Amino acid sequence: MNATLLSGLNPPQLQAVTLPHQSALILAGAGSGKTRVLTTRIAYLISTGAVSPHSILAVTFTNKAAKEMLTRLSAMLPINTRGLWIGTFHGLCNRMLRAHYREANLPQTFQILDSGDQLSAIKRLMKAMNVGDEKYPPRDLQNFISGSKEQGLRAHEVEAYDPYTRRKVEVFAEYDAQCQREGVVDFSELMLRCYELLSRNTALREHYQERFQHILVDEFQDTNRLQYLWLKLLAGKHSSLFAVGDDDQSIYAFRGANVGNMQELTRDFHVEAVIKLEQNYRSHGNILDAANALISNNRDRLGKNLWTSENGGEPLRVYEAPTDVEEASYIVSEIQQLKSEGVHLKEIALLYRSNAQSRVLEHALVSAGLSYRVYGGLRFFERQEIKHALAYLRLMENTDDDNALLRIINFPTRGIGARSIEQLQEAAKMNSTALWDAAARAGGKVSAFVVLIEALRSATRELPLPEILDHVLEHSGLIAHYQNETGAKKREAEERQENLNELINAATLFVHENEDDSLTSFLTHASLEAGEHQAGDQDDALHLMTVHAAKGLEFHAVFITGLEQGLFPHQNSQNVDGGLDEERRLMYVAITRARRRLYLSFAQSRMLHGQVNYGVASSFLRELPDNLLHWLTPRIAQRNAFASGYLTSNPPLTPREVSPLFRGKADSPPLIKGGQKGLAWRTGQTVFHSKFGEGVIVNLEGSGADSRVQVNFRKAGVKWLALEYAKLVAA
């Protein structure tokens, strides 16, 4: 059995899979087969007979990744994977809390708030506490609460040095109390509550430490502080921690990911085995060489160098466009060429640093009749009609769930107005009860709503899960509501009906795949899945996405667009310690998505946030070796192309004013002689004027003594100057 499992592994992979019982860090580069190593390690441990499947805990970040691991294990070993502890951090914490809800001080049927429900709960609380949303934006409070929990901090542990922060801490404390009263937890609470449970309950902690002899962690570079502390608690004296990750792909600091956990792991667990998986099975050599050269500029790396047994392949194509519109036009023409060469559209990805960049690309694709899909739209369980249906189920399961009640008390419309809801909230607050208790004492239309929910509970008590869904959708009025839509909303309503029908399919599949097919378990599944990407149509279509969304994916051809200083790397990175390093890791991720062909493009001018910005090439382009690049346009201002910063017109130019700024073709930029002997000026060149300061040339016209230059000055805005008198100098 072992010989079959281990066949095809390269030497470092084999070393990682067959390590003895010790903690290890597997430094797995992009495309190096880390998932194979992780799952084969689990299969190898079980196949030896010395390790019970019940003594293994494997943690990853997405349900999709966890499911893939289970699928691979099923193919490797003839075992039932249902009992294995393999899942996401939140999923495994939920499993522990369900098993020990009393010790965790939770109701048995506690529900999980997704991000939207959490925000609604915070808004409701702010209104009750008379906290103004202008001074304290609800999303800022949500981030403050979640961020504190991810650091392992309760409200009383957060340091507040000023009245503003103290007020946020007060909201945090009352929010926790509200969730406790209602029997709900948010995602961050799942981790923190489980960590606290293990911290204070010695017997329980020792039980799990004794049970889980082998702890394996995927994407370790993405762990935050609390997740790492949770892992340390679970790892007992006789446990080994097998962590697989890549510090060069740590790009989620904004979510709390701490790349420093990898260094801490080596110290805290006395890791002697740091195994580097450097052979890449995805990309051609030139792409990997470019990625290696770029990332070598980062500080404090653990260090590795990707290589491939394949040839160098094609050089990276670099295109400098006069405007973002022309950049998009160029990309479309290249896509059409790839398509004519037999490359499927689904094998092509357009990556951008900011979502705001997609509009111009989408417009160009629509105009060209090219099918595309924006990766990362609304997920299935986040769609409005799905959340309505789940709210009925949640309230049936737990009548203390105020968020669920507020979502559906008047949907479909049943004549319960805002004033009636306010009166319910006031009554509930006065009596320190859930809204349901106040509703049960109310009369009129509110009373009819209570009767409806009780009737749904009674009628579905003995029904299988899919039939519960079917009954609720029919008798709640949701299906009828969308069926009755007419006019412009009719098509949208039909799609919503299809989604509701798909929810029944989801319940049927859930019953088939899970031993626990209770309504509570299904609702938990829906909450945990809310952040997962649902597969779209199977049509051959381009993929548009941010670089963050591209992590873990790969394509035949990749376009990295908008490579301008201030955009990628993002201007905010200059204000954050380690910000440029993370931006460089993001670029590294973007480069390593490409298997065979990689395009890099940037524009001299770009419309962003309603105004035109005149940019210069990203500093990342300078960090790529010249011998790996093929410039499709002349290097227009090579001597100063890497000057930093955006120059923004003042006042901002409209699109109509921008259109004539770059009249020369991209492959033949305007060029005229300047006032100084032998000096030639080009569009895109950075210049300096004694009165107006630094600027970028955006247009040139005329010749000799009649020549004029249009310059966008950083402080003075756009001005036309006669070259004979301008006395410009190259910056």
Side-chain angles (χ1 to χ4, degrees):
M1 172 65 77
N2 283 349
T4 303
L5 281 176
L6 305 179
S7 64
L9 297 176
N10 64 39
Q13 290 174 336
L14 181 63
Q15 182 187 1
V17 168
T18 59
L19 274 173
H21 186 48
Q22 64 183 94
S23 293
L25 174 61
I26 313 303
L27 203 57
S32 63
K34 70 174 182 63
T35 304
R36 182 185 183 188
V37 167
L38 195 64
T39 52
T40 306
R41 170 69 173 174
I42 297 173
Y44 174 78
L45 290 172
I46 296 173
S47 68
T48 61
V51 177
S52 165
H54 296 287
S55 68
I56 293 174
L57 176 79
V59 195
T60 186
F61 276 85
T62 67
N63 289 304
K64 180 181 177 182
K67 188 172 182 179
E68 181 182 353
M69 289 172 62
L70 289 168
T71 300
R72 291 194 185 195
L73 276 174
S74 296
M76 291 179 180
L77 295 174
I79 62 171
N80 185 350
T81 60
R82 285 188 175 184
L84 293 178
W85 279 65
I86 296 179
T88 64
F89 280 98
H90 293 105
L92 294 173
C93 284
N94 169 71
R95 187 170 174 177
M96 265 185 206
L97 291 174
R98 295 286 176 193
H100 308 288
Y101 65 91
R102 289 191 184 88
E103 295 90 338
N105 192 26
L106 287 170
Q108 186 174 9
T109 58
F110 71 85
Q111 297 300 317
I112 302 171
L113 298 178
D114 64 18
S115 180
D117 288 333
Q118 182 190 24
L119 186 61
S120 297
I122 290 171
K123 289 178 179 177
R124 175 161 47 90
L125 179 64
M126 290 173 64
K127 187 174 182 179
M129 295 179 67
N130 197 26
V131 177
D133 57 8
E134 290 188 5
K135 186 175 182 180
Y136 298 93
R139 287 198 181 275
D140 287 356
L141 281 170
Q142 182 181 32
N143 293 334
F144 172 75
I145 292 170
S146 297
S148 298
K149 289 185 180 183
E150 287 166 3
Q151 291 297 311
L153 302 174
R154 289 292 181 192
H156 68 274
E157 297 172 310
V158 177
E159 295 182 355
Y161 298 105
D162 55 76
Y164 178 78
T165 307
R166 282 196 291 273
R167 188 58 168 158
K168 291 202 295 185
V169 169
E170 290 172 3
V171 175
F172 181 6
E174 185 54 38
Y175 167 78
D176 267 359
Q178 175 179 283
C179 288
Q180 185 65 36
R181 286 195 304 271
E182 297 177 5
V184 296
V185 297
D186 56 42
F187 276 92
S188 299
E189 182 69 20
L190 281 173
M191 282 295 310
L192 182 54
R193 185 74 65 113
C194 188
Y195 171 75
E196 291 172 340
L197 173 65
L198 293 173
S199 296
R200 67 172 181 266
N201 194 315
T202 303
L204 196 62
R205 181 175 67 252
E206 291 178 349
H207 163 74
Y208 281 112
Q209 287 177 343
E210 185 66 26
R211 173 175 180 172
F212 297 128
Q213 297 293 298
H214 295 268
I215 301 174
L216 302 95
V217 189
D218 190 17
E219 303 286 8
F220 188 78
Q221 77 280 350
D222 293 336
T223 54
N224 61 33
R225 180 177 182 271
L226 182 57
Q227 288 163 343
Y228 182 56
L229 292 175
W230 182 78
L231 289 168
K232 285 179 66 177
L233 268 185
L234 280 175
K237 296 178 181 178
H238 307 295
S239 303
S240 66
L241 186 62
F242 185 92
V244 181
D246 183 3
D247 57 334
D248 291 334
Q249 295 190 76
S250 180
I251 59 173
Y252 296 121
F254 66 95
R255 294 181 185 171
N258 180 15
V259 67
N261 285 345
M262 300 187 81
Q263 298 278 9
E264 285 196 38
L265 170 74
T266 59
R267 294 192 298 267
D268 293 344
F269 288 85
H270 309 290
V271 172
E272 298 177 1
V274 177
I275 300 173
K276 299 179 181 181
L277 306 183
E278 298 174 297
Q279 184 174 359
N280 178 282
Y281 294 92
R282 175 186 300 158
S283 307
H284 274 162
N286 286 341
I287 294 171
L288 299 180
D289 290 345
N292 289 330
L294 176 87
I295 204 64
S296 66
N297 291 281
N298 266 9
R299 305 162 294 175
D300 303 324
R301 296 175 61 228
L302 291 170
K304 65 181 184 313
N305 205 56
L306 296 177
W307 63 275
T308 179
S309 60
E310 297 202 36
N311 57 37
E314 302 175 6
L316 284 61
R317 292 164 166 79
V318 186
Y319 183 84
E320 178 178 12
T323 68
D324 54 349
V325 173
E326 293 187 58
E327 179 191 29
S329 178
Y330 151 73
I331 290 170
V332 164
S333 66
E334 287 295 327
I335 291 170
Q336 290 170 329
Q337 177 61 36
L338 286 167
K339 189 177 178 182
S340 70
E341 295 173 8
V343 179
H344 293 293
L345 292 180
K346 64 184 178 182
E347 285 293 325
I348 304 171
L350 278 59
L351 309 183
Y352 35 81
R353 176 63 180 83
S354 169
N355 273 313
Q357 295 170 244
S358 72
R359 183 190 62 82
V360 174
L361 295 171
E362 290 187 60
H363 180 74
L365 294 172
V366 169
S367 300
L370 290 170
S371 299
Y372 70 92
R373 186 177 300 113
V374 178
Y375 187 91
L378 278 178
R379 284 75 167 166
F380 179 78
F381 286 106
E382 293 177 340
R383 293 169 188 167
Q384 180 196 88
E385 62 278 12
I386 301 302
K387 290 175 73 69
H388 286 325
L390 293 177
Y392 276 97
L393 299 175
R394 285 170 47 193
L395 190 61
M396 289 162 55
E397 188 76 351
N398 174 17
T399 54
D400 289 340
D401 190 338
D402 285 359
N403 277 312
L405 184 146
L406 289 171
R407 171 175 280 276
I408 59 173
I409 190 171
N410 197 41
F411 192 90
T413 304
R414 49 179 59 93
I416 301 175
R419 180 56 190 152
S420 296
I421 296 174
E422 287 178 3
Q423 290 173 344
L424 282 181
Q425 291 173 317
E426 290 168 2
K429 182 180 179 182
M430 183 180 301
N431 296 301
S432 299
T433 65
L435 288 175
W436 176 263
D437 294 326
R441 292 191 295 269
K445 294 172 181 176
V446 173
S447 177
F449 171 72
V450 172
V451 170
L452 169 65
I453 299 300
E454 290 289 4
L456 292 175
R457 295 176 73 182
S458 176
T460 59
R461 190 167 288 120
E462 303 298 329
L463 293 179
L465 182 60
E467 292 183 29
I468 293 175
L469 267 291
D470 187 49
H471 183 91
V472 170
L473 294 177
E474 183 67 29
H475 292 84
S476 66
L478 282 175
I479 291 291
H481 171 79
Y482 293 116
Q483 285 176 338
N484 293 333
E485 288 283 3
T486 57
K489 290 188 176 182
K490 182 174 176 59
R491 182 174 179 180
E492 176 185 327
E494 290 173 347
E495 293 176 352
R496 295 191 188 280
Q497 290 178 63
E498 292 173 1
N499 287 335
L500 290 174
N501 289 329
E502 187 60 32
L503 184 60
I504 300 175
N505 296 339
T508 303
L509 183 62
F510 181 82
V511 170
H512 178 71
E513 293 184 344
N514 293 271
E515 292 179 358
D516 179 7
D517 59 1
S518 66
L519 180 55
T520 297
S521 183
F522 178 70
L523 289 171
T524 296
H525 164 77
S527 296
L528 294 174
E529 283 281 322
E532 293 294 311
H533 172 71
Q534 303 294 326
D537 297 332
Q538 298 302 310
D539 296 340
D540 186 28
L542 295 158
H543 294 273
L544 273 66
M545 66 190 79
T546 63
V547 182
H548 280 103
K551 187 172 179 292
L553 305 176
E554 60 181 80
F555 303 91
H556 176 91
V558 170
F559 292 80
I560 306 176
T561 66
L563 282 171
E564 294 131 42
Q565 198 69 11
L567 187 55
F568 198 5
H570 197 277
Q571 57 189 0
N572 291 347
S573 66
Q574 302 174 12
N575 306 319
V576 179
D577 185 36
L580 184 59
D581 283 357
E582 175 136 343
E583 288 289 301
R584 191 175 285 111
R585 292 195 292 268
L586 196 58
M587 181 65 176
Y588 175 86
V589 167
I591 291 173
T592 53
R593 299 310 94 197
R595 292 197 298 263
R596 295 294 177 265
R597 194 173 292 184
L598 181 61
Y599 299 82
L600 312 173
S601 64
F602 60 101
Q604 296 173 6
S605 78
R606 182 175 301 278
M607 180 70 74
L608 287 173
H609 309 298
Q611 65 182 44
V612 175
N613 295 268
Y614 297 92
V616 291
S618 168
S619 57
F620 293 154
L621 288 170
R622 181 177 54 189
E623 297 175 358
L624 302 178
D626 284 340
N627 66 301
L628 299 178
L629 306 180
H630 171 53
W631 286 76
L632 301 173
T633 49
R635 303 179 73 162
I636 293 176
Q638 188 168 343
R639 287 170 299 180
N640 52 27
F642 302 105
S644 62
Y646 265 112
L647 299 179
T648 303
S649 60
N650 182 26
L653 299 182
T654 66
R656 181 172 295 179
E657 292 172 314
V658 172
S659 59
L661 293 185
F662 296 103
R663 288 186 271 190
K665 294 182 178 179
D667 58 354
S668 180
L671 180 151
I672 58 177
K673 295 293 181 182
Q676 294 126 306
K677 184 177 180 181
L679 184 61
W681 302 111
R682 298 175 184 269
T683 56
Q685 190 168 5
T686 305
V687 295
F688 186 83
H689 188 275
S690 58
K691 179 179 179 181
F692 302 126
E694 190 179 77
V696 172
I697 296 175
V698 295
N699 201 9
L700 297 160
E701 67 176 32
S703 60
D706 296 326
S707 59
R708 295 197 308 160
V709 60
Q710 190 180 35
V711 182
N712 179 38
F713 291 102
R714 183 188 295 271
K715 296 182 179 179
V718 179
K719 296 184 180 295
W720 277 103
L721 304 171
L723 268 177
E724 185 176 359
Y725 307 106
K727 296 183 179 179
L728 294 173
V729 296

